[in-house]
Amino acid sequence: MIAAAASLAAGFLALSLVATGLRGRSWASVFVYGASAVLSLGLLGAGLVALVTGGAATHMTLPVGLPWLGAHLRLDALSAVFAAIIGLGGAAISAYAIGYGRQEHEPHRVLPFYPGFLGAMTMVVLAADAFTFLLSWETMSLLSWALVLTHHREQETRGAGYLYLVMAGFGTMVLLLAFGLMAGADGSYDFAAMRAVEHGPALAALVLGLTAVGAGSKAGLLPLHVWLPVAHPAAPSHVSALMSGVMTKVALYGFIRVAFDLLGPVPWWMSVPVIVTGAVTAVMGILFANVDGDAKRVLAYSTIENIGVIFAALGLALAFRANDMQTLAALALTAGLIHAMNHMLFKSLLFMVAGAVLNATGRHDLDGLGGLIHRMPKTAFLALVGVTAISALPPLNGFVSEWLLFQAILQSPQLSQPGLQFLVPAVGGLLALAAALAAACFVRFYGVIFLGRPRTDVAQEAVETDRWSLSAMAGLALLCGFAGIVPGLLVDLVAPAVERALGSRVPMQAGNHWFTLVPVANVQSSYSGFLVMVFVAISGGLSAWLVHRLASRRLRRAPAWDCGFPNADPVTQYGAGSFAQPIRRVMATVLAARETVTMPPPGDTKPARHTAHTEDLAWTRVYIPLIAFVGAAAARLNALQFLTIRRYLSLVFGSLILLLTGLTIWN
Amino acid sequence: MHDLAFDIAHLLAGSLVLVSFMMIYQDRLYALLNTFALQALLLAMAVAWQAFTRDAPHLYATAAIALIFKAIIVPWALHRVVARMGIQRTVETVTGVVPTMLAGMGLVALSILLMLQLTEAAENPLAREDLAFALSVILLGMLMMVTRRNAVTQVVGFMSLENGLILAAAGAQGMPLVVEISVAFSVLIAMIVIGVFLFRIRERFDSVDTEALDAFRGERR
């Protein structure tokens, strides 16, 4: 199976090279995206087969890379889960891009990098030594950076690309340190050798921290998230979907691989920072999403929230594992993995919706849209499925993973450390807050874009998007529903990976009646998405029938917002800023929200202005001082470029003497 | 016999360090070049003595190369350069001679401390002493490059540094002749390149004071 997966990865990379030579051909776009979709389907198949057959690890070594190491590749259950995520996401997004890519003005800026990006992500999950892993990771970063810079003529995009490049380089460097520490003095960079080494608690804590920083900077963990809301929206929409839906999962894979596989058991207190960071990331991410006015940035911030939720689940799994409660650890890890899968489904879907809206109207600011449900009914329906799923409403898939996570949180009193007994319920409260805010955020997202009346002329003249895009979105929406109705299937699917990581698994769900989910045998809680779906269908259908029966079937159009202003301007509707206002005011401290009202002097006919302003405290309190410090230090050190020859020699001489003196004293 | 051999090798290596100090002390260019030739001569003798006591004939070749190139050709060439370009005959120093000498003594102390510590495991006492002296010569050569303004003196400092390298290599069980030849040639080429540069600098600035280059780059000191 590894041979199949590795050749698919090689196929992606080869397709990149082919795409370089296709510049200017009219069919290049269809060919490249079509081939990417086929290869992705193959990858999905390879991952699923590996999982269904029990997730036995297959291994191969290629004679490339470092001469004494070679390139170790391995497909075990954990890799297979993420290979399946990449395959499914890649297939749907590539199919979408067949339609979406036609609108691209400069396809040659996207096509050569797109398949390679997929291939590099595949290589990351297949890598079984630190060198191959880091090389693939960096390739993934650089190719996605090139994709972010597609519209490089815009100033904002260039800034986003630069920020992304800096953060990606930083993350890879930190991961390099983590792997170096794990390899130990004899430099065994093979994962199998790392697994065999015992790590002391101090070293393990350092490695876990470095991995959380390195992988977290790619996934969007607070406070390393700053690049994500600028870089994800700057790319073309299908690339945004790939970065937000799939690449963040690859980053999660990096963390899971180190924390649950390579590092071995860790003390309980090391789970605390992971849980707390995850919960804070979730709340802050969704708060920013609630006040932002740009459709794609809202989605990017929501990605940060979901990554936070998943990290909280992983931290919980670490805490349970440290207490030898393997079944509950398995529950938390299962929740994390399924949420990763679900997030890929609905976040890709929503970015596709944003892309379709962007293509139809040319706008991505929420306040320039509105009323699109009339012009784009199919997209509107699929978007409704997506926002319902991401708001964790049953019977869709978002509910399942959050429910599993809360089941794990409710078991926290069984933990033996009082610190965790207090902390985990508090984190549960934060995650519940995040879930509620997510619902608020997507009510706003959907309401402002699709409901009400068009706020601009372009929104009024929008046309439905093409068939390829619609079918890709419909496929993802169907999967969102399917995964929500038969969640037991997903639990059983990821079970080999959980068992591989923890030696234990959530009980088999396949035999349950009514597709009920019974995560922990001794706890009396269960959930049947199927029954909920049946109930929703019957009650919803019944009430719709009753309403139409008792009232009228006729579609009525009446003047909207007709409260004394029959010809009111569409901008008087409840808009993005109006939705955000309550949350912005309540959370003014953490959002650093300011409102200013400018009144014209008496007698002046200028309008009064009200402006609301929020900022990211991580950016103003951490990054701006840091950037200022780096700038000042660079300005100081600049003098070093203009020394005399003799002074350069003196520098070399001085450092040599310093090192020799150090050596003498040290000896 | 063995003790005498050791003493003579010790004497020759030690006098290399002494000559390095003499080079720091010189304040005339010609005298400096002569002292450098003396150092190269001592180096040749030290290497030849190693060849004799250790019965390693290829070291004779090393000694011959040192003698011909470094004791004769290079000083002679530098003499000609100084004469043809009419360079000012005094050595322009950055700091006074006494602080430089004191710093040099500190460097010798440092290298002896370091080398004797590091090579405690080695059985051969000669190699240990030789390495300590060689490092001293290298550091003194660098010190000279750093504390002199004139390009010719910097070249001499570089050559003296290279003498230290040869001494170290000869002490450590001898190096292959190929390496020695290539080092000698690279030094010669470095000398030629630097000589060409000297002419170019002189043509343009009427001086071989390297500070003139900095003024040309439009920089302040």
Side-chain angles (χ1 to χ4, degrees):
Chain A
M1 206 34 73
I2 176 69
S7 40
L8 285 168
F12 278 124
L13 298 174
L15 187 59
S16 257
L17 292 182
V18 172
T20 319
L22 293 181
R23 182 175 177 162
R25 311 282 165 88
S26 56
W27 44 270
S29 168
V30 172
F31 169 73
V32 171
Y33 290 130
S36 297
V38 171
L39 287 171
S40 301
L41 279 179
L43 187 63
L44 171 66
L48 287 182
V49 168
L51 280 176
V52 169
T53 54
T58 43
H59 189 274
M60 70 189 280
T61 309
L62 297 179
V64 292
L66 293 183
W68 62 91
L69 190 64
H72 294 263
L73 301 178
R74 190 162 180 272
L75 185 71
D76 60 8
L78 191 58
S79 314
V81 167
F82 284 90
I85 289 180
I86 298 172
L88 182 54
I93 294 166
S94 303
Y96 171 80
I98 294 176
Y100 184 82
R102 287 195 197 128
Q103 271 89 10
E104 196 62 58
H105 296 297
E106 296 172 305
H108 55 274
R109 292 203 182 280
V110 182
L111 293 181
F113 307 116
Y114 180 86
F117 180 37
L118 282 167
M121 289 196 286
T122 314
M123 285 304 292
V124 171
V125 300
L126 293 182
D129 66 73
F131 180 76
T132 314
F133 183 90
L134 289 171
L135 189 69
S136 317
W137 184 278
E138 193 61 14
T139 311
M140 169 178 93
S141 298
L142 287 178
L143 289 176
S144 54
W145 170 73
L147 288 168
V148 166
L149 282 184
T150 303
H151 305 296
H152 64 106
R153 291 204 173 75
E154 290 157 34
Q155 180 66 36
E156 277 179 22
T157 305
R158 286 204 297 272
Y162 181 68
L163 183 62
Y164 177 38
L165 196 62
V166 170
M167 294 301 287
F170 168 75
T172 311
M173 191 191 74
V174 172
L175 278 181
L176 181 71
L177 292 180
F179 281 117
L181 283 177
M182 268 196 293
D186 48 347
S188 43
Y189 288 105
D190 188 356
F191 279 179
M194 286 185 188
R195 215 171 274 136
V197 179
E198 282 288 319
H199 304 285
L203 185 74
L206 195 58
V207 170
L208 193 74
L210 287 174
T211 314
V213 170
S217 73
K218 180 66 71 189
L221 215 52
L222 222 68
L224 302 161
H225 66 285
V226 286
W227 63 274
L228 204 137
V230 288
H232 283 198
S237 294
H238 59 297
V239 177
S240 312
L242 209 53
M243 288 177 76
S244 237
V246 181
M247 189 176 74
T248 53
K249 307 304 167 302
V250 176
L252 283 173
Y253 164 81
F255 182 77
I256 296 175
R257 174 62 77 193
V258 172
F260 288 91
D261 184 18
L262 301 182
L263 202 53
V266 294
W268 69 271
W269 51 266
M270 281 158 54
S271 66
V272 174
V274 181
I275 297 177
V276 172
T277 316
V280 173
T281 303
V283 172
M284 290 310 295
I286 200 67
L287 276 179
F288 289 129
N290 260 301
V291 296
D292 205 281
D294 179 292
K296 285 172 86 174
R297 263 214 306 275
V298 167
L299 294 177
Y301 276 125
S302 150
T303 297
I304 296 176
E305 181 239 2
N306 284 285
I307 290 298
V309 169
I310 298 170
F311 259 93
L314 297 179
L316 210 56
L318 284 176
F320 282 123
R321 186 179 66 167
N323 280 293
D324 280 328
M325 297 152 87
Q326 303 295 352
T327 325
L328 292 177
L331 176 59
L333 185 58
T334 306
L337 288 178
I338 294 188
H339 198 69
M341 211 176 259
N342 287 341
H343 180 245
M344 182 275 291
L345 291 175
F346 46 64
K347 188 49 62 66
S348 306
L349 170 59
L350 287 175
F351 262 113
M352 289 179 188
V353 167
V357 169
L358 179 62
N359 258 352
T361 63
R363 303 193 69 136
H364 45 80
D365 52 326
L366 291 175
D367 278 330
L369 299 166
L372 290 179
I373 195 167
H374 301 297
R375 308 290 308 178
M376 309 171 74
K378 292 175 189 146
T379 307
F381 174 72
L382 296 170
L384 185 62
V385 175
V387 297
T388 316
I390 201 170
S391 309
L393 292 182
L396 293 170
N397 60 349
F399 180 77
V400 174
S401 38
E402 299 236 1
W403 183 80
L404 282 174
L405 175 59
F406 280 103
Q407 290 304 314
I409 286 173
L410 290 177
Q411 303 301 317
S412 62
Q414 295 184 33
L415 288 165
S416 50
Q417 293 84 12
L420 281 176
Q421 283 175 1
F422 282 107
L423 175 73
V424 176
V427 164
L430 280 180
L431 292 181
L433 174 66
L437 286 172
C441 169
F442 284 97
V443 165
R444 169 175 180 258
F445 180 83
Y446 191 80
V448 177
I449 294 182
F450 290 101
L451 305 182
R453 286 181 294 155
R455 290 180 179 79
T456 50
D457 292 342
V458 281
Q460 198 152 23
E461 284 144 21
V463 286
E464 185 60 275
T465 190
D466 59 286
R467 285 219 193 101
W468 278 105
S469 302
L470 277 176
S471 43
M473 290 192 273
L476 285 181
L478 269 179
L479 283 172
C480 279
F482 179 72
I485 291 164
V486 284
L489 199 67
L490 280 188
V491 173
D492 287 344
L493 201 62
V494 300
V498 175
E499 191 152 21
R500 169 90 192 65
L502 296 167
S504 171
R505 54 164 290 177
V506 173
M508 189 80 171
Q509 305 289 328
N512 295 344
H513 299 293
W514 302 111
F515 308 110
T516 310
L517 201 54
V518 188
V520 187
N522 56 355
V523 181
Q524 298 300 315
S525 60
S526 60
Y527 163 71
S528 167
F530 179 72
L531 288 183
V532 172
M533 194 266 303
V534 170
F535 173 74
V536 168
I538 291 176
S539 60
L542 205 62
S543 36
W545 181 75
L546 278 176
V547 165
H548 282 299
R549 187 81 196 163
L550 297 180
S552 159
R553 291 187 73 84
R554 198 162 51 83
L555 184 67
R556 286 169 296 172
R557 286 191 191 274
W561 296 90
D562 195 5
C563 306
F565 297 96
N567 291 320
D569 193 81
V571 295
T572 58
Q573 293 176 98
Y574 211 61
S578 335
F579 268 102
Q581 194 205 32
I583 290 169
R584 197 179 60 231
R585 289 216 171 142
V586 171
M587 297 290 177
T589 332
V590 288
L591 292 170
R594 287 194 307 276
E595 293 183 32
T596 47
V597 178
T598 321
M599 297 295 287
D604 197 339
T605 52
K606 269 193 300 192
R609 299 200 73 84
H610 171 257
T611 49
H613 178 78
T614 58
E615 59 192 29
D616 188 343
L617 284 178
W619 180 254
T620 49
R621 294 281 163 83
V622 180
Y623 285 85
I624 287 183
L626 193 68
I627 292 168
F629 170 75
V630 170
R636 281 284 174 83
L637 292 177
N638 202 14
L640 278 184
Q641 295 198 43
F642 304 103
L643 294 182
T644 63
I645 297 173
R646 202 177 49 73
R647 286 203 181 127
Y648 281 125
L649 281 174
S650 310
L651 275 184
V652 174
F653 186 60
S655 44
L656 179 67
I657 296 298
L658 202 69
L659 289 175
L660 287 179
T661 316
L663 196 61
T664 314
I665 294 168
W666 196 30
N667 264 302
Chain B
M1 176 62 195
H2 178 263
D3 277 344
L4 183 65
F6 177 77
D7 284 345
I8 289 176
H10 207 154
L11 173 73
L12 287 170
S15 35
L16 252 106
V17 179
L18 192 67
V19 174
S20 280
F21 274 105
M22 284 168 66
M23 283 163 67
I24 291 177
Y25 187 74
Q26 300 305 322
D27 56 359
R28 295 270 152 191
L29 266 185
Y30 280 155
L32 179 67
L33 291 178
N34 292 342
T35 323
F36 171 71
L38 174 64
Q39 191 183 38
L41 183 68
L42 281 170
L43 174 73
M45 283 164 68
V47 175
W49 184 250
Q50 292 267 355
F52 175 66
T53 52
R54 295 220 313 260
D55 203 12
H58 66 271
L59 279 182
Y60 282 120
T62 309
I65 290 172
L67 186 70
I68 294 167
F69 279 132
K70 307 185 86 177
I72 298 169
I73 295 184
V74 170
W76 172 75
L78 285 176
H79 262 283
R80 278 200 48 181
V81 166
V82 172
R84 266 183 56 189
M85 299 202 305
I87 297 172
Q88 198 187 356
R89 304 287 164 84
T90 54
V91 172
E92 293 160 76
T93 55
V94 177
T95 55
V97 169
V98 175
T100 320
M101 295 286 267
L102 285 176
M105 283 156 75
L107 291 179
V108 172
L110 174 71
S111 57
I112 287 177
L113 268 177
L114 180 70
M115 273 304 163
L116 294 190
Q117 245 179 25
L118 280 184
T119 55
E120 233 159 324
E123 310 93 56
N124 186 357
L126 181 58
R128 291 177 64 191
E129 304 271 334
D130 249 10
L131 277 178
F133 285 133
L135 185 62
S136 307
V137 174
I138 292 172
L139 291 181
L140 288 172
M142 286 187 87
L143 181 69
M144 192 160 146
M145 290 178 80
V146 168
T147 53
R148 297 289 183 271
R149 289 229 168 94
N150 188 301
V152 176
T153 33
Q154 285 180 352
V155 172
V156 173
F158 177 70
M159 297 283 164
S160 152
L161 185 156
E162 208 266 342
N163 283 347
L165 286 180
I166 303 269
L167 182 65
Q173 298 308 320
M175 61 176 162
L177 192 58
V178 183
V179 178
E180 160 62 12
I181 289 174
S182 61
V183 169
F185 269 104
S186 64
V187 168
L188 199 66
I189 288 167
M191 220 248 354
I192 291 166
V193 171
I194 293 171
V196 170
F197 265 103
L198 280 179
F199 278 107
R200 304 283 306 180
I201 297 170
R202 223 288 303 257
E203 263 172 38
R204 216 168 261 277
F205 302 110
D206 288 334
S207 161
V208 284
D209 187 342
T210 51
E211 305 276 337
L213 280 179
D214 307 320
F216 175 66
R217 287 199 304 180
E219 288 143 18
R220 65 201 181 279
R221 291 204 195 138

mmCIF file of all heavy atoms in Angstrom, chain B residues 194-210:
data_model
loop_
_atom_site.group_PDB
_atom_site.id
_atom_site.type_symbol
_atom_site.label_atom_id
_atom_site.label_comp_id
_atom_site.label_asym_id
_atom_site.label_seq_id
_atom_site.Cartn_x
_atom_site.Cartn_y
_atom_site.Cartn_z
ATOM 1 N N ILE B 194 47.928 39.252 -4.207
ATOM 2 C CA ILE B 194 48.029 40.422 -3.340
ATOM 3 C C ILE B 194 48.960 41.454 -3.946
ATOM 4 O O ILE B 194 48.714 42.657 -3.897
ATOM 5 C CB ILE B 194 48.508 39.995 -1.933
ATOM 6 C CG1 ILE B 194 47.418 39.151 -1.275
ATOM 7 C CG2 ILE B 194 48.805 41.196 -1.068
ATOM 8 C CD1 ILE B 194 47.850 38.495 -0.006
ATOM 9 N N GLY B 195 50.078 40.955 -4.591
ATOM 10 C CA GLY B 195 50.997 41.885 -5.235
ATOM 11 C C GLY B 195 50.302 42.685 -6.312
ATOM 12 O O GLY B 195 50.429 43.913 -6.387
ATOM 13 N N VAL B 196 49.519 41.984 -7.152
ATOM 14 C CA VAL B 196 48.781 42.686 -8.202
ATOM 15 C C VAL B 196 47.871 43.734 -7.582
ATOM 16 O O VAL B 196 47.811 44.890 -8.029
ATOM 17 C CB VAL B 196 47.976 41.680 -9.040
ATOM 18 C CG1 VAL B 196 47.034 42.415 -9.959
ATOM 19 C CG2 VAL B 196 48.906 40.796 -9.821
ATOM 20 N N PHE B 197 47.204 43.344 -6.518
ATOM 21 C CA PHE B 197 46.310 44.292 -5.862
ATOM 22 C C PHE B 197 47.078 45.500 -5.341
ATOM 23 O O PHE B 197 46.602 46.627 -5.440
ATOM 24 C CB PHE B 197 45.562 43.613 -4.727
ATOM 25 C CG PHE B 197 44.232 43.121 -5.145
ATOM 26 C CD1 PHE B 197 43.999 41.783 -5.392
ATOM 27 C CD2 PHE B 197 43.195 44.034 -5.326
ATOM 28 C CE1 PHE B 197 42.774 41.348 -5.811
ATOM 29 C CE2 PHE B 197 41.969 43.592 -5.735
ATOM 30 C CZ PHE B 197 41.752 42.241 -5.984
ATOM 31 N N LEU B 198 48.285 45.196 -4.793
ATOM 32 C CA LEU B 198 49.086 46.309 -4.280
ATOM 33 C C LEU B 198 49.332 47.332 -5.386
ATOM 34 O O LEU B 198 49.159 48.535 -5.192
ATOM 35 C CB LEU B 198 50.422 45.789 -3.766
ATOM 36 C CG LEU B 198 50.411 45.174 -2.382
ATOM 37 C CD1 LEU B 198 51.792 44.679 -2.033
ATOM 38 C CD2 LEU B 198 49.959 46.209 -1.379
ATOM 39 N N PHE B 199 49.703 46.805 -6.572
ATOM 40 C CA PHE B 199 49.970 47.729 -7.665
ATOM 41 C C PHE B 199 48.729 48.520 -8.033
ATOM 42 O O PHE B 199 48.784 49.722 -8.264
ATOM 43 C CB PHE B 199 50.497 46.961 -8.889
ATOM 44 C CG PHE B 199 51.955 46.683 -8.786
ATOM 45 C CD1 PHE B 199 52.430 45.424 -8.528
ATOM 46 C CD2 PHE B 199 52.875 47.726 -8.933
ATOM 47 C CE1 PHE B 199 53.771 45.167 -8.416
ATOM 48 C CE2 PHE B 199 54.223 47.478 -8.823
ATOM 49 C CZ PHE B 199 54.682 46.200 -8.564
ATOM 50 N N ARG B 200 47.600 47.793 -8.085
ATOM 51 C CA ARG B 200 46.356 48.475 -8.468
ATOM 52 C C ARG B 200 46.007 49.551 -7.460
ATOM 53 O O ARG B 200 45.633 50.663 -7.831
ATOM 54 C CB ARG B 200 45.200 47.467 -8.561
ATOM 55 C CG ARG B 200 45.457 46.327 -9.485
ATOM 56 C CD ARG B 200 45.306 46.701 -10.897
ATOM 57 N NE ARG B 200 43.985 47.315 -11.140
ATOM 58 C CZ ARG B 200 43.607 47.741 -12.320
ATOM 59 N NH1 ARG B 200 44.434 47.678 -13.329
ATOM 60 N NH2 ARG B 200 42.413 48.259 -12.482
ATOM 61 N N ILE B 201 46.128 49.181 -6.165
ATOM 62 C CA ILE B 201 45.784 50.159 -5.131
ATOM 63 C C ILE B 201 46.696 51.378 -5.259
ATOM 64 O O ILE B 201 46.253 52.521 -5.198
ATOM 65 C CB ILE B 201 45.948 49.538 -3.718
ATOM 66 C CG1 ILE B 201 44.982 48.380 -3.512
ATOM 67 C CG2 ILE B 201 45.720 50.572 -2.632
ATOM 68 C CD1 ILE B 201 45.268 47.597 -2.253
ATOM 69 N N ARG B 202 47.986 51.096 -5.465
ATOM 70 C CA ARG B 202 48.949 52.184 -5.535
ATOM 71 C C ARG B 202 48.615 53.096 -6.708
ATOM 72 O O ARG B 202 48.587 54.319 -6.603
ATOM 73 C CB ARG B 202 50.348 51.592 -5.706
ATOM 74 C CG ARG B 202 51.414 52.249 -4.868
ATOM 75 C CD ARG B 202 51.740 53.611 -5.386
ATOM 76 N NE ARG B 202 52.146 53.547 -6.774
ATOM 77 C CZ ARG B 202 53.398 53.623 -7.177
ATOM 78 N NH1 ARG B 202 54.356 53.778 -6.301
ATOM 79 N NH2 ARG B 202 53.688 53.566 -8.458
ATOM 80 N N GLU B 203 48.357 52.462 -7.890
ATOM 81 C CA GLU B 203 48.047 53.258 -9.073
ATOM 82 C C GLU B 203 46.919 54.220 -8.811
ATOM 83 O O GLU B 203 46.901 55.348 -9.244
ATOM 84 C CB GLU B 203 47.610 52.328 -10.209
ATOM 85 C CG GLU B 203 48.706 51.994 -11.177
ATOM 86 C CD GLU B 203 48.228 50.925 -12.128
ATOM 87 O OE1 GLU B 203 47.043 50.979 -12.517
ATOM 88 O OE2 GLU B 203 49.023 50.020 -12.447
ATOM 89 N N ARG B 204 45.950 53.753 -8.085
ATOM 90 C CA ARG B 204 44.749 54.547 -7.940
ATOM 91 C C ARG B 204 44.871 55.571 -6.812
ATOM 92 O O ARG B 204 44.333 56.658 -6.906
ATOM 93 C CB ARG B 204 43.564 53.619 -7.659
ATOM 94 C CG ARG B 204 42.294 54.078 -8.298
ATOM 95 C CD ARG B 204 41.282 52.990 -8.225
ATOM 96 N NE ARG B 204 41.202 52.248 -9.490
ATOM 97 C CZ ARG B 204 40.480 52.660 -10.526
ATOM 98 N NH1 ARG B 204 39.793 53.759 -10.447
ATOM 99 N NH2 ARG B 204 40.434 51.953 -11.623
ATOM 100 N N PHE B 205 45.523 55.179 -5.754
ATOM 101 C CA PHE B 205 45.470 56.042 -4.558
ATOM 102 C C PHE B 205 46.828 56.621 -4.156
ATOM 103 O O PHE B 205 46.918 57.315 -3.154
ATOM 104 C CB PHE B 205 44.919 55.266 -3.363
ATOM 105 C CG PHE B 205 43.560 54.722 -3.617
ATOM 106 C CD1 PHE B 205 43.349 53.367 -3.771
ATOM 107 C CD2 PHE B 205 42.479 55.582 -3.724
ATOM 108 C CE1 PHE B 205 42.103 52.875 -4.023
ATOM 109 C CE2 PHE B 205 41.228 55.080 -3.964
ATOM 110 C CZ PHE B 205 41.035 53.729 -4.120
ATOM 111 N N ASP B 206 47.907 56.262 -4.893
ATOM 112 C CA ASP B 206 49.234 56.729 -4.523
ATOM 113 C C ASP B 206 49.618 56.303 -3.123
ATOM 114 O O ASP B 206 50.379 56.996 -2.440
ATOM 115 C CB ASP B 206 49.310 58.271 -4.618
ATOM 116 C CG ASP B 206 49.299 58.672 -6.069
ATOM 117 O OD1 ASP B 206 49.724 57.844 -6.899
ATOM 118 O OD2 ASP B 206 48.831 59.778 -6.361
ATOM 119 N N SER B 207 49.093 55.219 -2.649
ATOM 120 C CA SER B 207 49.431 54.763 -1.303
ATOM 121 C C SER B 207 48.993 53.311 -1.194
ATOM 122 O O SER B 207 48.074 52.877 -1.885
ATOM 123 C CB SER B 207 48.716 55.608 -0.258
ATOM 124 O OG SER B 207 48.696 54.928 0.972
ATOM 125 N N VAL B 208 49.652 52.540 -0.345
ATOM 126 C CA VAL B 208 49.151 51.192 -0.098
ATOM 127 C C VAL B 208 48.569 51.113 1.303
ATOM 128 O O VAL B 208 48.347 50.033 1.831
ATOM 129 C CB VAL B 208 50.240 50.116 -0.272
ATOM 130 C CG1 VAL B 208 50.489 49.874 -1.724
ATOM 131 C CG2 VAL B 208 51.480 50.488 0.484
ATOM 132 N N ASP B 209 48.319 52.239 1.880
ATOM 133 C CA ASP B 209 47.610 52.263 3.155
ATOM 134 C C ASP B 209 46.175 51.805 2.905
ATOM 135 O O ASP B 209 45.456 52.399 2.107
ATOM 136 C CB ASP B 209 47.639 53.690 3.711
ATOM 137 C CG ASP B 209 47.062 53.758 5.101
ATOM 138 O OD1 ASP B 209 46.351 52.812 5.479
ATOM 139 O OD2 ASP B 209 47.324 54.759 5.792
ATOM 140 N N THR B 210 45.761 50.690 3.535
ATOM 141 C CA THR B 210 44.434 50.157 3.206
ATOM 142 C C THR B 210 43.328 51.076 3.670
ATOM 143 O O THR B 210 42.190 50.918 3.237
ATOM 144 C CB THR B 210 44.232 48.768 3.845
ATOM 145 O OG1 THR B 210 44.556 48.860 5.219
ATOM 146 C CG2 THR B 210 45.084 47.734 3.173
#
